[in-house]
Amino acid sequence: SPLLSQNEIDAAKLVHVDFQNVQDQQKLVWPATPVVARAYLDQLERSKGLNAAELTSTRTELDTADKLNGPARAAALSALATRLQQDAPASGDRSKVEKLAATVKGMAGAGH
């Protein structure tokens, strides 16, 4: 299997660098977009951070929400983000699930 999924490759193309301080320490910033969320899911699948059922349901909810518009889309994404935040402590990769939740929450507020 490939080292990186297509979602991860596409997400990498979206990254931009924010210069945080006078020492020019760079902070990589991934935008809150569906492709970034899917890249996190691919990573969680590889690391077994979420089980197969959780991965499938999360991908389905993400795909469904992504097809909606306006308030319905924001509500669906917010509900998914809340569920992911609640599931994170029991997951095999808490920090990655929390990053996924933050990305989905950002999508809810950003209208991407």
Side-chain angles (χ1 to χ4, degrees):
S1 67
L3 293 176
L4 291 175
S5 69
Q6 189 60 50
N7 287 320
E8 290 170 298
I9 292 166
D10 291 345
K13 294 174 184 170
L14 296 174
V15 73
H16 69 270
V17 176
D18 279 359
F19 288 97
Q20 289 296 317
N21 59 34
V22 293
Q23 285 95 25
D24 282 344
Q25 288 188 348
Q26 298 176 358
K27 180 183 177 194
L28 299 179
V29 179
W30 274 264
T33 63
V35 73
V36 173
R38 291 185 180 102
Y40 282 136
L41 282 167
D42 292 346
Q43 292 170 3
L44 285 161
E45 181 173 22
R46 195 179 307 121
S47 70
K48 311 256 188 299
L50 292 174
N51 67 38
E54 292 167 328
L55 287 163
T56 299
S57 66
T58 302
R59 284 185 170 121
T60 299
E61 286 182 62
L62 184 62
D63 290 346
T64 301
D66 202 28
K67 292 182 178 89
L68 300 172
N69 291 304
R73 183 177 192 277
L77 289 167
S78 293
L80 176 56
T82 298
R83 180 177 68 74
L84 288 166
Q85 287 168 331
Q86 291 168 345
D87 291 350
S91 74
D93 189 347
R94 180 177 184 157
S95 68
K96 188 64 57 75
V97 176
E98 288 173 344
K99 288 177 183 175
L100 171 60
T103 298
V104 173
K105 187 174 175 114
M107 287 166 55
H112 281 296

